[in-house]
Amino acid sequence: MEDLTNNINQHSQPSAEGWGEVATMAQLVAEGKEPEILFWVGCAGSFDERAQKITRDICKILHHVRINYAVLGTEESCTGDPAKRAGNEFLFQMQAMTNIEVLNGYNIKKIVTGCPHCFNTIKNEYPGLGGTYEVIHHSQLIQQLIDDGKLKAEGGESFKGKRITYHDPCYLGRGNDVYEAPRRALEVLDTELVEMKRCRSNGLCCGAGGAQMFKEPEKGDKNINMERIDEVISINAQVVAAACPFCMTMLSDGVKNHNKEDEIKVLDIAEITARANGL
């Protein structure tokens, strides 16, 4: 994850961004310090140009509320989710146990993730291999910070008058019953929240889960992400709130395919929160 550390630190000058340097666990341990939480960035958040923007906004939020956090940097590797979903259990366990060794070596207790796939894997599948941690998704952290009065949706971009709909990621919603936190993070905005017909436990997959992100779509009448954007268009939503980098890619591609880029914006919960708070 060397790209992650270099990329973040290149954009983390306090005078320009106002959110300081991002420390690695190795740096903190060398200084005899321990962070409150570990931010697990994930592969997409490290290497995908669009997802890197979400990573930066999560860092801005953490800095803004003065949470002492760190990343693994080059010591972080893939959780093994794609390998497991594709049926390669041996590769998954190799990747997972390597990560668990690193996490346990640093005595990590609490992890926040920017990806529901990382969230689900570390939370539900690592314990069976010796890695037990408190794992929360970034939308849950944002909702908690709003409840604590540390994020108020003031001093930044106004979403007043915008129609916003939220797309439930499969591995966050149906996989882990996290439905309310992302919505409550949006409720503080002076905006109109609208639901698609298929939402919550009846939500429609973006089409990238189960390692489908890394293969060509199978033959059919219609790509699933195009179907999803048809739903967005049908309710006249101007912003689609996402909470997963895979969903972000699929939804954005759907908007582009419909030539609706000027009319519909796809933004992560973290991006919306950072903008609303002037970060």
Side-chain angles (χ1 to χ4, degrees):
M1 298 291 169
E2 186 173 1
D3 283 16
L4 158 70
T5 308
N6 292 339
N7 198 287
I8 288 181
N9 286 335
Q10 285 172 8
H11 294 81
S12 60
Q13 299 302 319
S15 58
E17 299 282 358
W19 50 290
E21 293 286 334
V22 178
T24 64
M25 280 301 305
Q27 290 171 330
L28 288 189
V29 168
E31 297 171 4
K33 299 177 181 177
E34 191 172 293
E36 295 175 54
I37 61 172
L38 173 75
F39 173 26
W40 185 277
V41 181
C43 299
S46 297
F47 300 115
D48 180 79
E49 187 175 355
R50 178 64 184 89
Q52 285 175 351
K53 296 178 181 179
I54 302 168
T55 297
R56 295 189 195 109
D57 278 341
I58 294 174
C59 290
K60 289 177 184 179
I61 291 168
L62 291 169
H63 179 77
H64 177 70
V65 299
R66 300 185 182 282
I67 289 179
N68 180 21
Y69 73 100
V71 297
L72 286 176
T74 57
E75 293 186 278
E76 181 186 310
S77 63
C78 179
T79 61
D81 168 79
K84 187 175 183 69
R85 306 306 158 211
N88 194 333
E89 182 67 21
F90 177 72
L91 177 58
F92 161 70
Q93 291 198 19
M94 285 181 57
Q95 292 176 309
M97 292 178 73
T98 298
N99 287 324
I100 290 168
E101 183 177 0
V102 172
L103 293 169
N104 290 349
Y106 284 125
N107 196 32
I108 297 298
K109 296 291 191 296
K110 186 171 183 177
I111 299 172
V112 62
T113 73
C115 173
H117 297 260
C118 297
F119 168 76
N120 178 71
T121 302
I122 300 174
K123 178 177 183 290
N124 298 321
E125 292 168 347
Y126 276 23
L129 297 172
T132 302
Y133 321 99
E134 178 186 357
V135 189
I136 61 174
H137 183 258
H138 71 279
S139 65
Q140 294 175 301
L141 176 64
I142 289 170
Q143 177 252 310
Q144 181 181 330
L145 293 171
I146 290 172
D147 288 350
D148 293 342
K150 295 180 179 179
L151 290 172
K152 300 181 179 180
E154 297 175 352
E157 181 178 336
S158 173
F159 289 86
K160 185 175 182 178
K162 296 285 187 182
R163 287 173 62 87
I164 298 181
T165 191
Y166 172 66
H167 168 81
D168 289 284
C170 295
Y171 283 78
L172 192 62
R174 285 193 294 268
N176 288 280
D177 293 319
V178 179
Y179 296 111
E180 298 307 321
R183 288 173 169 83
R184 287 173 63 184
L186 294 171
E187 285 173 359
V188 298
L189 304 173
D190 185 10
T191 187
E192 181 181 1
L193 298 181
V194 291
E195 293 280 9
M196 287 179 275
K197 183 177 181 179
R198 286 178 282 191
C199 63
R200 297 181 184 267
S201 60
N202 191 42
L204 179 66
C205 175
C206 73
Q212 295 295 311
M213 182 76 176
F214 307 102
K215 61 182 284 293
E216 291 300 315
E218 296 166 19
K219 291 183 179 180
D221 296 328
K222 190 176 187 180
N223 285 348
I224 196 167
N225 57 329
M226 306 307 168
E227 174 78 9
R228 193 53 161 166
I229 296 304
D230 281 343
E231 291 190 4
V232 173
I233 294 171
S234 72
I235 59 172
N236 298 315
Q238 297 163 291
V239 177
V240 184
C244 170
F246 288 5
C247 294
M248 172 65 69
T249 296
M250 299 300 285
L251 294 170
S252 297
D253 285 351
V255 170
K256 291 175 184 176
N257 184 266
H258 283 74
N259 295 314
K260 295 285 186 180
E261 294 172 89
D262 293 334
E263 302 168 39
I264 302 172
K265 303 299 180 184
V266 184
L267 297 171
D268 188 87
I269 294 285
E271 294 179 300
I272 293 172
T273 301
R275 291 187 184 190
N277 283 271
L279 306 180

